[in-house]
Amino acid sequence: MVHINQNYLKLKAGYLFPEIGRRVSAFAQAHPEAKIIRMGIGDVTEPLTPAIIAAMHEAVDEMAQRQSFKGYGPEQGYGFLREAVAAHDFQARGVDISADEIFISDGSKCDTGNILDIFGSNNRIAISDPVYPVYVDTNVMAGHTGPADASGRYEGLVYLVGNESNGFVPELPTVPVDLIYLCYPNNPTGTVASRETLARWVQYARDNQALILFDAAYEAFISDPAIPHSIFEIEGAKDVAIEFRSFSKNIGFTGIRCALTVVPRQLMGRGAGGEKVSIHQLWNRRQSTKFNGASYVVQKGAAAAYSPQGRQEMRGLIDFYMNNARLMREELTRAGIRVFGGVNAPYVWLKTPNSLSSWDFFDLLLNKANVVGTPGSGFGAAGEGYFRLSAFNSLANVQEALQRIHSVL
Ligand SMILES: *Cc1c(COP(=O)(O)O)cnc(C)c1O
């Protein structure tokens, strides 16, 4: 019989969202009349905007004609999209990133997992706690960890704890590490990293010859002009960082699928003999071999987000979700809850009242307010006692959910 990848058997995951689903459907079955409002999952709710729809329709029409039909595209993405990203997301902010340093893909979840293909198995890896679970699980699958302990922490990973005393922005590691995952604006805590914080990380990476994997999936939600949108806004970052961006949350592409990874040409890793090796070349080789490019129609849609109309429509979507986040912050604060995030990110991270555990608070909201959120403990041991609510919802749902939550607290 075939041997399996034994590392998969170490995984604790597949627990959080299935368990939420189990509790919600048990409640719904027992209370068929309850109108449950879901504020748990980080998925957008608003439809595609007109500029994007028009561009995608046009692209389908091109595919329908022999003269303009397209087969396989470049594995790295079409030039029109890479150029638009470089110009608008980076050069316009004074960041020197060129189109050939941008790799278009079908998602940041895939990219943050796939990137491990090009790194060795003996790196020390630092991951925040609480955290987007993909970073942890992909390292477990790749055999970079030992087994998990009772709190769900894997042997071999360096956990960077976020808590109230550091405002859920973890400090630098106290032991040397090689690979560091950072996500700002953060999922699940909704917090952001200041320019000073990011500069400290870049300096740490330069001093320790470490590499930062920077997940900027929520950069478009930043409202504070002092907060960097890209790690490459920090001087010296091009020698020590890879950045992931996604069209999922800013233009509602969670179901359409398009993202990008920035790998600077000058970024180097080390071979077994100590020689310098281009990370850009390795990623290019990896993508050319295992990936056949994102869909032309999808890339046309993503590029339309950079047109003046597309920009304006994207702004409208973000303002809509961030107004929800503002209402959530205000109403929860009025209800006596301590809240984090929700200013530069579409997530509100709250401290459970009366020291309830994350799951006890989940049950309270589900049973009494018929509102579904996400227990903080599902994002890591340090998330225990906290809870995440997502601003991705209709205004009516947000208003009703807040009213119900307030009335049961
Ligand atoms: C939603 C999200 C992404 C985007 O993933 P896609 O695969 O591009 O949809 C990336 N990172 C984090 C932390 C996210 O929450």
Side-chain angles (χ1 to χ4, degrees):
M1 205 178 284
V2 71
H3 296 280
I4 54 106
N5 179 346
Q6 197 66 22
N7 297 312
Y8 278 59
L9 303 187
K10 296 177 195 161
L11 290 168
K12 284 276 175 188
Y15 171 72
L16 178 63
F17 288 103
E19 178 61 17
I20 291 173
R22 198 188 62 73
R23 294 191 191 200
V24 173
S25 56
F27 176 82
Q29 230 156 45
H31 304 89
E33 76 295 344
K35 183 182 168 260
I36 297 172
I37 300 178
R38 287 162 209 273
M39 301 182 81
I41 295 178
D43 196 357
V44 296
T45 53
E46 301 308 295
L48 299 179
T49 59
I52 287 162
I53 297 164
M56 292 179 76
H57 280 165
E58 211 171 289
V60 170
D61 288 341
E62 283 181 63
M63 287 296 209
Q65 302 293 328
R66 177 170 301 279
Q67 305 88 312
S68 49
F69 171 79
K70 287 176 175 58
Y72 290 124
E75 291 96 346
Q76 301 79 4
Y78 281 98
F80 63 79
L81 181 54
R82 300 172 90 195
E83 296 285 350
V85 171
H88 293 275
D89 286 343
F90 296 101
Q91 290 156 15
R93 300 189 65 83
V95 179
D96 170 33
I97 291 288
S98 60
D100 69 356
E101 294 175 304
I102 291 162
F103 293 83
I104 306 298
S105 76
D106 59 355
S108 275
K109 187 192 210 179
C110 336
D111 286 352
T112 54
N114 291 336
I115 200 79
L116 292 178
D117 269 15
I118 63 169
F119 298 121
S121 53
N122 45 1
N123 291 309
R124 279 152 304 179
I125 297 157
I127 296 188
S128 324
D129 177 8
V131 73
Y132 179 55
V134 174
Y135 315 147
V136 176
D137 289 358
T138 52
N139 274 289
V140 175
M141 290 170 171
H144 297 168
T145 75
D149 67 16
S151 74
R153 285 196 169 167
Y154 292 92
E155 185 186 289
L157 293 181
V158 175
Y159 287 94
L160 307 171
V161 173
N163 51 35
E164 287 192 46
S165 67
N166 58 30
F168 291 98
V169 179
E171 320 286 342
L172 303 181
T174 50
V175 294
V177 298
D178 304 301
L179 205 53
I180 301 153
Y181 288 82
L182 296 181
C183 174
Y184 292 109
N186 190 260
N187 177 10
T189 64
T191 53
V192 285
S194 67
R195 184 170 295 276
E196 295 67 36
T197 297
L198 289 184
R200 270 202 301 282
W201 277 110
V202 168
Q203 193 58 50
Y204 174 91
R206 296 182 69 89
D207 292 345
N208 292 275
Q209 301 193 315
L211 177 69
I212 296 169
L213 298 173
F214 190 76
D215 187 342
Y218 296 95
E219 63 78 26
F221 293 84
I222 294 173
S223 57
D224 180 345
I227 300 295
H229 287 236
S230 166
I231 189 140
F232 300 120
E233 289 180 47
I234 308 300
E235 181 141 3
K238 282 184 78 177
D239 295 317
V240 293
I242 289 174
E243 181 165 302
F244 303 96
R245 288 191 176 207
S246 173
F247 294 99
S248 282
K249 313 295 166 39
N250 57 1
I251 56 167
F253 268 27
T254 53
I256 300 283
R257 313 302 306 142
C258 196
L260 62 106
T261 293
V262 185
V263 187
R265 282 203 168 272
Q266 69 212 60
L267 193 60
M268 294 289 157
R270 210 165 279 285
E275 75 283 13
K276 283 186 175 177
V277 179
S278 160
I279 302 273
H280 182 281
Q281 276 175 23
L282 293 187
W283 183 243
N284 191 42
R285 189 72 172 85
R286 191 270 170 212
Q287 289 298 78
S288 309
T289 301
K290 293 198 183 181
F291 183 58
N292 244 341
S295 145
Y296 174 70
V297 174
V298 165
Q299 291 188 66
K300 274 291 188 184
Y306 295 99
S307 69
Q309 189 193 342
R311 295 260 95 175
Q312 204 176 356
E313 291 169 0
M314 178 171 95
R315 198 65 258 158
L317 283 175
I318 288 164
D319 289 348
F320 170 78
Y321 291 126
M322 290 313 292
N323 183 56
N324 287 347
R326 181 183 59 79
L327 294 174
M328 289 158 63
R329 278 181 61 86
E330 288 174 359
E331 190 60 27
L332 292 165
T333 304
R334 261 200 294 277
I337 301 273
R338 204 163 150 66
V339 300
F340 302 85
V343 177
N344 297 288
Y347 297 112
V348 171
W349 180 251
L350 59 94
K351 185 164 176 55
T352 61
N354 308 317
S355 305
L356 287 177
S357 77
S358 296
W359 278 109
D360 284 348
F361 187 64
F362 174 91
D363 288 333
L364 173 81
L365 285 196
L366 175 61
N367 290 302
K368 299 276 166 57
N370 308 158
V371 171
V372 181
T374 315
S377 54
F379 299 104
E384 180 55 89
Y386 295 89
F387 201 77
R388 190 191 77 175
L389 289 175
S390 153
F392 294 125
N393 220 317
S394 69
L395 177 60
N397 274 356
V398 168
Q399 286 169 327
E400 182 165 351
L402 290 173
Q403 211 168 30
R404 291 196 211 156
I405 292 172
H406 199 155
S407 71
V408 302
L409 290 179

